[in-house]
Structures are given as C-alpha cells and as structure tokens.
Amino acid sequence: MNKLVSSSGVLAASVFLTLACSTGATAQADPLPDLTVTTVLDGLAKPWDAVVAPDGTVLTGERAGRFVIRDVGGTTRDLEADLGDLYASGETGLMGIALATDFATSRTIYTCQGVQGQGTGAGSAGTGSAGGGTDNHIAVVSWTVDPAWTELTRTGTLVDDIPVADGGRHGGCRILAHPDGTLYIGIGDTASPSVPQDRNSLGGKVLHINADGSAASDAPGRVFTLGHRNVQGLAIRPGTQDIYEVEQGTTRDDELNLLVPGGNYGYRPDRLPFVYDESVPMTDPTRVPGARAAVWSSGSPTIATPGLTFANGAGWGSWNGAAVMSSQQGEKLVFLKLSEDGADYVDEADALVGTYGRLRSLTSFGSDGAFLLTTDNGSDDKVLLVTPAAD
C-alpha cells in the first residue's frame, strides 16, 4: 500500500509547509513508491495551472483572474498583470499557463484565457459556439515578465478565435510548450453538437502553432487533431516524441489518447438535430469512421480528468515513465504504466485518494521525478509538490 511520507522539503532555497496524511492509495500488484507531498502555495481559489521557472520561482493563476508567485526567497505575492478584458464565467477564465522554451532569455510566458469581445467573431453562433452572437472568445496571449518578478506585460495574441459558450462550459484550454519552440493547445468543445467534428471551428481540437501564432506544418488551419470533448491535459512521454492528451468524458469514459497528426478521436454529439447529445460514445467508430481508440478510458462513472504529466525519474522505480492523471470527481491521482509502444496500458494504480479533495493541474518539475499539483476545491486551494520518497 502506497503511503504519504512527510518532509520539510526545499525547493529553490525555499522551505515549504509540509502536510502529512494518508493517501488512501489503492493496492495493486506492483505498488507505487511512497510519496512526499509538500505545500508550495496555499490560500488560493481554483488555481488552473502552475509552472516553475529556471530560477525556482513558482507561478500559478486563479481562474477568476489573479497571478500569484512564490519567489526564490519563499515569499508569496501577487504578480501584476492587465486582466481587464478577462472573460471569467463557469469553466472559463484564466486557464493554461506555459513558459516559452527559451524563457531563460526571452522571459516569455503564454496563457490561455477567456476574453471579452473584440475578437475575430469566432465566439458567434455561426462558428459553432454556444455564444449566441456575443464576441466573447478564448485567446492564447503572450507576456513577458521582468527579472524581479513584479509585473507581466502583454506582448501579443497568438490565437484569438477560439469559441466559448455562454456560461463558459467546456472552455478548458491547456498549453504545451514543445522543446522545438512550437505550442500545442488543447481546447474544449463549447458543449455544442457540431463543434468537435467541424474543421472550421477551433473548439474540440488540439491545435499546433508556431511561436508567432501561424499554423505548424502538420496542422492545416492550426488543427492538429479533432473529435475531442474537453481537452485539459497535454504532455510528452519521456524518452519519446509522443504527445498524449487527457480529456473529460460525459457520464463515462474520460480518455487518455496518443495523438497523431490529423487524428480524429471520435466524439460526435450531434446525433439529434441541434441537440448536444452526451449519450453518444466518447469514441464512436461507427459514426466517425477511422476514429482512434483511446489508450485508457475510465469506464462508468467518469472521474473527471483535467491534468496529465509523466513520472520521470529513477525514484519512481518500475513506475518510471508512467502517465499520471489528476481527477476532480475521484479526488485522486491515477498512474498508468504504458506498453512499450505507448498504445495501451499494462498496470494502473491510484494515489492521494481523498487526501486533498479535487485535483487539477499536473506539471513536471526538476530532475528527481517531482511534479507540481494544484487542487480545485474553490477555497484554500493549494499548489503541491509531489515527489517519490527516498528509500
């Protein structure tokens, strides 16, 4: 049985508050290593994402519109930024955050966020959004931050035509900064029936763009893959070029998918005219010929999987290289040991079950296999550091 190990933990010369309690982990044939969990930031409200800079500064953002850092001296403070046009409603607001691959020299940060009006019109009903004619939309914005970490300054908008629904449902937007300098962006489907299969809408897709916002060579119209419901996790499998996404299911079948350029992942909720029919399968090869099967699905009921990373380090033992997914409804982490070709999984284990409530974002950190994890409880939320405990 996996258990939680208490540690005072030091990250970038900052000593973090340690919390120790039972993980409630599920027994399995090949147990996970014990986990050390330390609190990096607390007192937050729905931190959607968290990243760590090369100097050790940890940055997170609350969905309602607030950037917070913990600097290398251990001080927690707000980071000034102009969020006056933020559209924060329901599931939409300040969402994914990523550091540019060349952050050490460029100081560039990318965010995915809801925006009020003045877009290209992609939030209108004509492009498949449930927005009903409003011009609210989701954008990918670039910023720079000063060396002292006092203020974010907007430098551009890379994408400004991602649709959003009235009320913000399925606005999930995750950014993966690839080592080659391009960006992959996972997008929700606005809970609209035609959007996941509509190549003229960016909803229900994974996008692939260059750093200037133009389409990458393998993504015509910026669309890398389609047929998704609500993509909220993206990560690269260590030691490979394979990119995986995790998305939330309906009442069943959250999915982990291995992405291939042009792949269609089979979500098509338009079986009834003008109705967002969530009784359809998450992957429907009958109505979507050639739909790609999931690597893993949750079955019924859904556990709501918004985050993805990989266990990456010798401390994970036989679980080194496993996919790690967070769960909101299941209030746990799910570890999946993948097959050699990455197209299937061969073992599954749970950890931190019921320990910290709803879990959201996962971000790899450092060389010892650690990752950052955010909670999603709505009050006194935390950014946690999870590390495989030393023997």
Side-chain angles (χ1 to χ4, degrees):
M1 181 75 74
N2 172 265
K3 62 181 181 297
L4 185 69
V5 176
S6 191
S7 168
S8 60
V10 177
L11 175 62
S14 300
V15 179
F16 298 134
L17 172 67
T18 301
L19 298 178
C21 50
S22 169
T23 65
T26 301
Q28 59 280 329
D30 185 8
L32 290 166
D34 297 335
L35 302 181
T36 298
V37 179
T38 57
T39 297
V40 178
L41 288 160
D42 58 11
L44 302 170
K46 292 190 174 293
W48 214 94
D49 211 343
V51 295
V52 59
D55 67 1
T57 299
V58 175
L59 167 66
T60 190
E62 296 178 332
R63 191 169 65 193
R66 176 187 176 218
F67 289 102
V68 183
I69 67 164
R70 181 152 187 148
D71 65 24
V72 295
T75 300
T76 298
R77 51 189 171 86
D78 287 7
L79 183 61
E80 295 298 320
D82 179 7
L83 289 171
D85 63 349
L86 183 71
Y87 175 67
S89 178
E91 299 172 20
T92 298
L94 178 58
M95 296 175 288
I97 303 173
L99 302 181
T101 304
D102 64 353
F103 175 83
T105 54
S106 71
R107 307 290 296 178
T108 296
I109 295 171
Y110 302 109
T111 61
C112 204
Q113 58 197 71
V115 177
Q116 299 177 35
Q118 298 184 5
T120 62
S124 68
T127 57
S129 169
T134 70
D135 203 24
N136 296 333
H137 58 286
I138 293 172
V140 178
V141 178
S142 63
W143 310 74
T144 57
V145 65
D146 62 293
W149 287 92
T150 61
E151 184 178 8
L152 281 169
T153 302
R154 288 201 195 198
T155 57
T157 301
L158 279 64
V159 184
D160 69 350
D161 54 345
I162 300 170
V164 67
D166 283 346
R169 190 177 181 212
H170 292 187
C173 191
R174 182 75 63 187
I175 305 172
L176 170 64
H178 195 276
D180 66 8
T182 64
L183 301 175
Y184 292 83
I185 305 156
I187 308 295
D189 70 354
T190 74
S192 297
S194 62
V195 162
Q197 296 295 327
D198 181 359
R199 292 182 179 274
N200 293 316
S201 172
L202 299 187
K205 312 295 190 298
V206 174
L207 313 182
H208 187 198
I209 63 172
N210 298 310
D212 62 0
S214 62
S217 60
D218 58 2
R222 297 166 292 175
V223 174
F224 185 68
T225 60
L226 72 159
H228 300 289
R229 182 173 182 267
N230 196 14
V231 181
Q232 294 193 18
L234 287 168
I236 302 172
R237 186 184 186 189
T240 76
Q241 297 297 312
D242 294 339
I243 298 173
Y244 289 77
E245 65 89 19
V246 64
E247 61 186 281
Q248 300 200 10
T250 53
T251 59
R252 66 185 194 276
D253 293 336
D254 306 298
E255 290 185 346
L256 176 71
N257 287 301
L258 172 59
L259 300 183
V260 298
N264 191 326
Y265 290 80
Y267 187 53
R268 187 179 171 184
D270 63 349
R271 183 165 54 188
L272 302 174
F274 311 110
V275 174
Y276 186 62
D277 181 4
E278 294 182 271
S279 68
V280 302
M282 278 291 289
T283 301
D284 188 347
T286 301
R287 297 179 65 241
V288 185
R292 300 190 66 86
V295 174
W296 167 94
S297 61
S298 64
S300 182
T302 181
I303 61 172
T305 47
L308 175 66
T309 190
F310 282 86
N312 186 23
W316 291 104
S318 65
W319 290 90
N320 187 21
V324 187
M325 300 178 296
S326 56
S327 166
Q328 292 165 303
Q329 289 177 200
E331 298 187 350
K332 62 183 178 180
L333 294 178
V334 178
F335 287 73
L336 296 175
K337 192 181 298 184
L338 301 182
S339 60
E340 186 174 352
D341 65 3
D344 201 354
Y345 72 101
V346 297
D347 203 356
E348 179 176 353
D350 295 344
L352 304 186
V353 180
T355 307
Y356 297 101
R358 293 164 58 90
L359 305 179
R360 178 177 283 281
S361 175
L362 288 164
T363 307
S364 61
F365 173 80
S367 59
D368 61 355
F371 52 79
L372 295 175
L373 167 67
T374 67
T375 69
D376 184 44
N377 299 308
S379 63
D380 195 25
D381 280 317
K382 298 172 174 62
V383 177
L384 303 170
L385 179 68
V386 181
T387 309
D391 293 334

